[in-house]
């Protein structure tokens, strides 16, 4: 059963990738796409190689990062409603990105992702400080995260109102967009994901134990506080690098782990890879639909993922309720 | 749980002087709010303007801009604080507020949709849209989190997730309609600086309706201070009371958002301050919460004029600056209690 699920979702990822390559302001038929990918001198080669392929790769990588970050957080907080955006990470990253866009609009392109990453790690430090170095209960930790996120959110809004001239660029970044992303972004994201993803997967025994509750994990010999620290750091890094390259895309980190958990259950050795693939799928389909809904303009992928993901999420939680109630 | 500990009722003299002090501060707030701002008005002209004796430019400035604005700020503060108190009572959740519950964001989203789809809509009509959005936001949160008691964190997480979802949709709509961005930003933060007499006129019927029902239902709302099971066994229709409670929240918060955008954190902060000052007795808690809410917003509106002088900053940012740290404090306190 699990094999079927994995094969199917990988297949879906390939289909969505092809779809994402072929649709847009200029739609490319599958045979044309094939030729353009093989030989670089057809009329569509430029679009495919310079515009659409990097987008597809970035979609997949950032989908991986956000989804796995969500899996880790949900296991840490022991609550299926936790996610990088709810806990304030993406808001912190967004605030710093907005600072750069508004205050240093002429800074070189690598500054923006660096600032976003800084913001994510600042939230991490704040979380550590305000949760008494993670000794608070997971519930309190989640609330502190929500509060930090709310504060950064209002910071973002202050900047938006103060500097109305660059508002659209910032809103675009804040809702998460793949517009204009090229190979340089791919290569700045790729090494991080390649390192962090396997590291995250290797943590699966700890994450499995974590789900059981603090007392169990302690009895089983887990140094909770220290493990929490490392797992949180891992989650922040994954979300941080993803957000730095695509903007603060919400809901992937919330929905992808959820769907994956419904399919393969709570064992993290399966949950982490499946959630990653589902996250990538959501990114790909969100980006593709966003490009064709109102040609020639684009709906930012972050908004599309929210629109696609939210109803499904509500449906999932409703079902969970009925089972419990 | 704190609601079971019977706190000593504060002495009457203390409460009376408390209300007197608040009243005085509100009056002072009104005056300084009328006097200072982008332009300073002399006391003489201020007096003439309030008594409608002068017809100069400055008189008109006071009469048509600052007076409605200050009144709107006060009324919005009352709305938000009372809506927050009621949300906390109905959900038994000390960290609840219309802002965290997706009610504000839902109202915002539906107003923005109505403005884009029907650009000729009047303010009065968009209030109804705000109600619909507020109801949908609340329903979404409750369907995500369930209405069981003692699910504080689940409710908060569901609420903030819905809040982010709805406000990201609002942001999306704003991005898609670039020409209207400047005026639309308003719907993300909340500000009173564009409020005129029309806003006051739109707000007042709803505040009278909402507050009247609130006071009328006050004896029943006492039920919300005891456990559901106890109330049920006393033969009370607790679900009905809760439903009325949420209806009032939607009336108050929805109309406030429709006129001034989603001003956050007032509904979270003020009920706690009021509870600290006056204890749990609803008869004093409710008026105190309302007045303190109005007070906070009048002063917040006043100070927001000077954050980026001479430009105005939306008042929602100032309330967030005050309310955000308080939220963190509350989260830590509640977290320790639940350990």
């Amino acid at each position: 059963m699990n094999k079927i699920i994995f094969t199917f979702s990988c297949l879906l990822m390939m289909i969505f990738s092809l779809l994402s390559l072929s649709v847009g302001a200029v739609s490319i038929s599958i045979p044309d796409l094939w030729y353009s990918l093989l030989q670089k001198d057809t009329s569509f080669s430029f679009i495919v190689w310079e515009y659409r392929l990097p987008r597809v790769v970035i979609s997949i990588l950032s989908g991986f990062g956000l989804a796995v970050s969500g899996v880790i957080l949900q296991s840490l907080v022991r609550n299926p409603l936790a996610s990088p955006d709810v806990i304030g990470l993406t808001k912190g990253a967004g605030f710093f990105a907005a600072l750069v866009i508004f205050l240093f609009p002429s800074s070189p392109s690598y500054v923006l992702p660096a600032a976003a990453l800084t913001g994510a790690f600042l939230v991490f430090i704040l979380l550590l400080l305000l949760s008494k170095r993670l000794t608070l209960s997971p519930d309190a930790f989640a609330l502190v995260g929500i509060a930090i996120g709310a504060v950064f959110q209002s910071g973002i809004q202050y900047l938006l109102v103060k500097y109305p001239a660059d508002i659209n660029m910032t809103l675009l970044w804040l809702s998460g967009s793949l517009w204009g992303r090229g190979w340089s972004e791919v290569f700045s994201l790729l090494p991080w994901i390649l390192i962090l993803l396997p590291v995250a997967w290797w943590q699966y025994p700890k994450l499995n134990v974590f789900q059981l509750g603090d007392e169990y994990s302690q009895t089983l010999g887990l140094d909770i506080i220290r493990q929490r620290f490392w797992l949180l750091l891992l989650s922040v890094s994954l979300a941080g690098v993803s957000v730095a390259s695509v903007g603060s895309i919400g809901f992937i980190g919330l929905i992808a782990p959820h769907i994956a958990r419904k399919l393969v259950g709570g064992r993290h050795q399966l949950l982490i890879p499946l959630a990653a693939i589902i996250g990538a799928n959501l990114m790909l389909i969100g980006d593709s639909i966003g490009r064709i809904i109102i040609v020639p303009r684009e709906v930012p992928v972050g908004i599309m993922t929210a629109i696609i993901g939210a109803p499904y999420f509500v449906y999932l939680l409703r079902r969970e309720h009925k089972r419990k109630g | 749980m704190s609601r079971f500990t019977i706190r000593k009722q504060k002495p009457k003299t203390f409460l009376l002087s408390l209300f007197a002090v608040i009243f005085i501060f509100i009056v002072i707030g009104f005056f300084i709010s009328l006097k200072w701002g982008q332009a300073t008005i002399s006391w003489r002209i201020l007096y003439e303007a309030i008594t409608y004796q002068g017809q100069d430019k400055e008189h008109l400035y006071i009469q048509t801009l600052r007076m409605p604005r200050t009144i709107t700020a006060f009324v919005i503060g009352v709305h938000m604080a009372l809506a927050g108190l009621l949300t906390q009572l109905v959900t038994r959740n000390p960290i609840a507020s219309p802002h965290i519950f997706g009610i504000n964001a839902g109202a915002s989203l539906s107003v923005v949709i109505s403005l884009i789809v029907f650009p000729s809509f009047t303010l009065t009509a968009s209030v109804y849209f705000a109600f619909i959005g507020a109801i949908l936001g609340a329903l979404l949160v409750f369907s995500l989190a369930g209405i069981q008691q003692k699910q504080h964190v689940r409710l908060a997480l569901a609420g903030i997730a819905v809040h982010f979802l709805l406000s990201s949709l609002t942001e999306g709509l704003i991005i898609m309609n670039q020409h209207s961005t400047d005026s639309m930003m308003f719907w993300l933060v909340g500000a009173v600086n564009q409020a005129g007499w029309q806003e006051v006129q739109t707000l007042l019927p709803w505040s009278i309706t909402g507050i009247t029902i609130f006071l009328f239902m006050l004896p029943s709302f006492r039920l919300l201070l005891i456990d559901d099971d106890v109330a049920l066994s006393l033969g009370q229709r607790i679900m009905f009371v809760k439903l009325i409670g949420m209806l009032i929240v939607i009336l108050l918060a929805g109309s406030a958002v429709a006129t001034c955008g989603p001003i956050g954190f007032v509904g979270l902060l003020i009920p706690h301050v009021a509870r600290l000052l006056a204890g749990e007795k609803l008869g004093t808690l409710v008026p105190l919460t309302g007045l303190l809410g109005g007070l906070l917003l009048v002063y917040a509106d006043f100070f927001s004029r000077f954050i980026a002088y001479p430009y105005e900053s939306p008042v929602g940012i100032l309330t967030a600056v005050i309310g955000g740290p308080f939220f963190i404090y509350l989260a830590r306190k509640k977290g320790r209690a639940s350990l």
Side-chain angles (χ1 to χ4, degrees):
Chain A
M1 182 61 192
N2 287 339
K3 258 186 200 155
I4 300 172
I5 291 171
F6 269 95
T7 332
F8 183 69
S9 50
C10 285
L11 212 64
L12 213 57
M13 191 161 89
M14 279 163 66
I15 295 170
F16 284 159
S17 305
L18 283 178
L19 186 73
S20 181
L21 283 174
S22 80
V23 301
V26 178
S27 64
I28 303 169
S29 68
I30 296 296
D32 279 343
L33 185 64
W34 189 245
Y35 287 126
S36 317
L37 280 173
L38 287 181
Q39 33 185 265
K40 288 196 168 190
D41 50 358
T42 64
S43 50
F44 296 120
S45 299
F46 187 75
I47 299 180
V48 170
W49 278 93
E50 293 305 316
Y51 283 113
R52 299 216 177 138
L53 202 57
R55 279 179 83 135
V56 167
V57 178
I58 284 208
S59 300
I60 293 172
L61 291 177
S62 55
F64 283 172
L66 289 167
V68 174
S69 166
V71 171
I72 298 173
L73 263 181
Q74 291 180 0
S75 170
L76 267 183
V77 180
R78 248 178 269 124
N79 198 318
L81 288 170
S83 77
D85 22 6
V86 166
I87 226 82
L89 291 177
T90 49
K91 295 293 163 192
F95 177 70
F96 272 68
L99 268 184
V100 168
I101 296 175
F102 286 132
L103 299 183
F104 311 103
S106 55
S107 57
S109 61
Y110 59 83
V111 176
L112 190 61
L117 202 58
T118 318
F121 278 99
L122 183 74
V123 171
F124 173 65
I125 292 167
L126 282 175
L127 276 172
L128 289 185
L129 292 176
L130 292 170
S131 64
K132 308 206 155 173
R133 298 199 194 139
L134 303 174
T135 53
L136 287 185
S137 71
D139 279 0
F141 175 76
L143 288 183
V144 169
I146 292 177
I148 293 174
V151 173
F152 275 113
Q153 173 78 4
S154 43
I156 293 173
Q157 285 168 342
Y158 175 70
L159 290 174
L160 287 177
V161 175
K162 183 108 193 288
Y163 302 96
D166 295 317
I167 245 176
N168 277 311
M169 160 101 180
T170 318
L171 279 179
L172 196 63
W173 194 92
L174 286 176
S175 53
S177 166
L178 291 163
W179 181 80
R181 302 297 193 277
W183 288 111
S184 61
E185 278 88 359
V186 171
F187 289 119
S188 60
L189 179 61
L190 188 64
W192 290 105
I193 297 290
L194 279 183
I195 296 166
L196 291 172
L197 222 51
V199 173
W201 191 77
W202 275 112
Q203 306 296 319
Y204 75 82
K206 286 176 202 156
L207 288 168
N208 284 343
V209 175
F210 247 104
Q211 281 184 321
L212 300 173
D214 285 350
E215 284 116 53
Y216 275 105
S217 347
Q218 235 152 10
T219 334
L220 288 169
L222 208 60
D223 181 352
I224 298 181
I225 306 298
R226 181 191 272 172
Q227 293 308 331
R228 253 189 212 159
F229 174 83
W230 288 113
L231 288 173
L232 185 63
L233 182 63
L234 193 60
S235 173
V236 171
S237 317
L238 277 166
V241 293
S242 311
V243 169
S245 54
V246 294
S248 53
I249 291 183
F251 288 89
I252 303 276
L254 186 66
I255 299 164
H258 233 273
I259 300 175
R261 196 169 287 124
K262 289 283 171 219
L263 290 172
V264 294
R267 284 165 303 164
H268 283 82
Q269 55 269 48
L270 299 175
L271 185 57
I272 290 178
L274 187 63
I277 296 170
I278 290 173
N281 277 337
L282 283 172
M283 285 290 292
L284 286 169
I285 194 72
D287 186 38
S288 311
I289 295 177
R291 258 184 288 164
I292 51 177
I293 254 182
I294 34 172
V295 184
R297 283 158 77 189
E298 285 186 25
V299 180
V301 60
I303 286 160
M304 287 319 298
T305 55
I307 294 173
I308 301 166
Y312 185 67
F313 186 56
V314 173
Y315 161 74
L316 280 180
L317 283 170
R318 294 281 306 166
R319 248 185 35 183
E320 195 176 297
H321 261 297
K322 275 187 194 140
R323 249 206 337 244
K324 270 186 197 161
Chain B
M1 295 296 293
S2 65
R3 64 173 184 269
F4 294 124
T5 56
I6 297 164
R7 284 197 198 145
K8 222 166 78 182
Q9 191 57 46
K10 307 273 180 187
K12 272 227 169 76
T13 46
F14 171 76
L15 288 176
L16 273 178
S17 47
L18 184 67
F19 275 106
V21 169
I22 290 172
F23 185 72
I24 292 167
F25 268 103
I26 290 172
V27 173
I28 295 173
F30 264 93
F31 276 111
I32 60 172
S33 177
L34 290 177
K35 183 164 163 55
W36 283 289
Q38 273 166 321
T40 311
I41 308 292
S42 73
W43 289 112
R44 194 177 55 80
I45 292 180
L46 187 61
Y47 173 76
E48 286 171 10
I50 294 173
T51 50
Y52 282 87
Q53 285 173 349
Q55 288 296 324
D56 285 347
K57 213 169 111 193
E58 281 190 320
H59 296 123
L60 281 176
Y61 180 64
I62 298 275
Q63 284 161 3
T64 57
L65 291 173
R66 285 209 187 144
M67 263 161 71
R69 173 185 180 163
T70 311
I71 292 170
T72 310
F74 182 78
V75 176
I76 296 279
V78 174
H79 276 212
M80 284 299 185
L82 287 179
L85 176 68
L86 208 48
T87 322
Q88 291 175 6
L89 286 175
V90 169
T91 59
R92 307 277 164 79
N93 190 340
I95 49 172
S97 79
H99 188 67
I100 303 167
F101 264 29
I103 291 174
N104 285 1
S108 245
L109 176 63
S110 65
V111 174
V112 169
I113 291 175
S114 79
L115 287 177
I116 287 171
V117 180
F118 315 101
S120 58
F121 255 28
T122 56
L123 188 67
T124 334
S126 61
V127 174
Y128 292 101
F129 268 91
F131 289 154
I132 297 169
I135 292 169
L136 288 180
L139 280 180
L140 206 54
V141 173
F142 283 114
S143 68
L144 280 176
I147 41 172
Q148 298 106 315
Q149 291 186 55
K150 288 158 194 148
Q151 289 243 349
H152 295 176
V153 175
R154 195 181 164 86
L155 205 55
L157 283 171
I160 209 77
V162 169
H163 173 84
F164 283 157
L165 167 68
L166 296 175
S167 55
S168 79
L169 293 181
T170 314
E171 271 169 35
L173 283 174
I174 292 175
I175 299 174
M176 292 290 107
N177 292 274
Q178 287 172 343
H179 54 278
S180 53
T181 302
D182 282 352
S183 58
M184 291 275 184
M185 267 315 294
F186 181 66
W187 296 107
L188 291 177
V189 205
V192 292
N193 55 355
Q194 288 164 9
W197 285 115
Q198 202 203 345
E199 271 77 8
V200 178
Q201 266 175 20
T202 318
L203 263 177
L204 277 181
W206 296 113
S207 40
I208 292 166
T209 320
I211 292 169
T212 314
I213 306 176
F214 200 150
L215 294 179
F216 187 66
M217 291 292 290
L218 208 55
S220 308
F221 285 147
R222 298 220 169 90
L223 286 177
L224 299 174
L225 295 173
I226 56 175
D227 253 352
D228 278 2
D229 300 338
V230 182
L232 274 175
S233 57
L234 289 171
Q236 300 289 345
R237 286 171 297 175
I238 190 80
M239 278 319 288
F240 176 72
V241 174
K242 283 187 170 181
L243 215 62
I244 297 285
M246 284 319 285
L247 182 76
I248 301 175
V249 169
I250 281 159
L251 282 185
L252 291 174
S255 58
V257 172
T259 42
C260 291
I263 296 175
F265 295 101
V266 183
L268 178 74
L269 173 72
I270 293 296
H272 283 276
V273 177
R275 210 169 278 145
L276 207 68
L277 287 171
E280 299 268 354
K281 201 168 168 254
L282 283 186
T284 45
L285 185 60
V286 170
L288 189 65
T289 306
L291 288 177
L292 278 175
L295 179 77
L296 175 75
L297 225 69
V298 169
Y299 279 91
D301 172 44
F302 176 68
F303 287 114
S304 74
R305 297 171 199 174
F306 301 102
I307 297 179
Y309 193 81
Y311 301 103
E312 304 243 358
S313 307
V315 66
I317 282 161
L318 205 71
T319 57
V321 167
I322 306 165
F326 177 76
F327 187 15
I328 295 180
Y329 159 77
L330 205 64
R332 296 181 69 189
K333 205 175 102 189
K334 293 299 152 192
R336 236 172 297 153
S338 74
L339 256 177

